Amino acid sequence: MFESLYPDKYLKSTYDINFEQLYERGFRGILFDIDNTLVPHGAPADARAIQLFERLHGMGFETCLISNNREPRVKSFCEQVHSRYIYKAGKPLPKGYLEGIRRMGTKTDNTFFVGDQIFTDVLGAKRAGLYTIMVSPVHPKEEIQIVLKRYLEKIVLHFYFRTLKKKRVEK
């Protein structure tokens, strides 16, 4: 029923992702959401985010941050982590994701997306044909429109985790 909204993988934190394993699998580009995926909503890049991007670039990954936010917010964050960016990306429409891929010089089959919301991040990445990793929000404080979507996300995630559990039992 909700399968089109399911991420390919769900992890507690962006910082728990095994990027080395994904690089070995042939991925070369990463599209990231910013707010509540890498740092709390509206926060500047912190030491952990800066170190992560240094590590990713050192491994050979191309990165691009895509956000529905305005350019001043996105640009200042991206300058700190030395990454390309798309602002006012129009998520969940695929256009921003595909533009990020174009700017990185990667392809949909070797690029993945990391974000914290189903109805913007995961849905848009799926529409663009990308492998998706959903993470738990970094911080509980969010704008009201996001808080309301979180209630619907809980329903989708309930069925997602039930499906995962069922698949493990069947193996």
Side-chain angles (χ1 to χ4, degrees):
M1 179 169 156
F2 295 115
E3 289 83 8
S4 64
L5 297 171
Y6 292 170
D8 294 297
K9 191 170 196 94
Y10 184 94
L11 294 168
K12 197 77 178 144
S13 169
T14 299
Y15 303 95
D16 292 340
I17 297 171
N18 187 336
F19 292 102
E20 291 78 8
Q21 184 180 65
L22 291 163
Y23 193 86
E24 287 174 16
R25 284 179 49 189
F27 287 103
R28 294 299 180 262
I30 310 170
L31 295 169
F32 284 97
D33 175 50
I34 300 171
D35 290 321
N36 256 344
T37 297
L38 294 164
V39 294
H41 187 80
D46 58 15
R48 187 165 72 155
I50 292 167
Q51 289 172 348
L52 173 64
F53 279 80
E54 286 173 356
R55 184 173 128 228
L56 294 173
H57 295 147
M59 290 172 58
F61 275 115
E62 297 294 329
T63 62
C64 184
L65 286 86
I66 65 171
S67 175
N68 285 344
N69 222 316
R70 294 186 183 113
E71 187 173 22
R73 159 67 179 143
V74 180
K75 182 179 180 183
S76 66
F77 189 94
C78 291
E79 285 174 346
Q80 293 175 293
V81 298
H82 306 287
S83 183
R84 295 171 186 86
Y85 65 91
I86 309 284
Y87 67 96
K88 289 191 178 181
K91 296 184 288 182
L93 298 174
K95 181 181 168 189
Y97 298 83
L98 298 173
E99 176 60 21
I101 291 167
R102 187 193 68 73
R103 289 183 187 186
M104 291 188 296
T106 59
K107 299 176 184 157
T108 55
D109 64 353
N110 70 357
T111 302
F112 65 95
F113 179 81
V114 181
D116 70 298
Q117 294 185 56
I118 287 176
F119 297 107
T120 50
D121 298 333
V122 173
L123 178 59
K126 289 271 191 196
R127 285 176 166 175
L130 297 172
Y131 182 82
T132 59
I133 300 175
M134 183 175 175
V135 296
S136 296
V138 170
H139 194 274
K141 183 178 181 265
E142 297 182 298
E143 296 173 339
I144 188 65
Q145 72 272 15
I146 296 171
V147 170
L148 297 174
K149 285 191 280 185
R150 294 289 186 200
Y151 289 108
L152 296 173
E153 281 185 359
K154 285 181 185 180
I155 296 167
V156 175
L157 288 173
H158 166 78
F159 287 102
Y160 169 73
F161 289 123
R162 193 168 89 175
T163 301
L164 287 181
K165 185 176 180 181
K166 187 177 177 182
K167 285 181 182 177
R168 278 188 233 131
V169 170
E170 291 173 355
K171 284 186 179 182

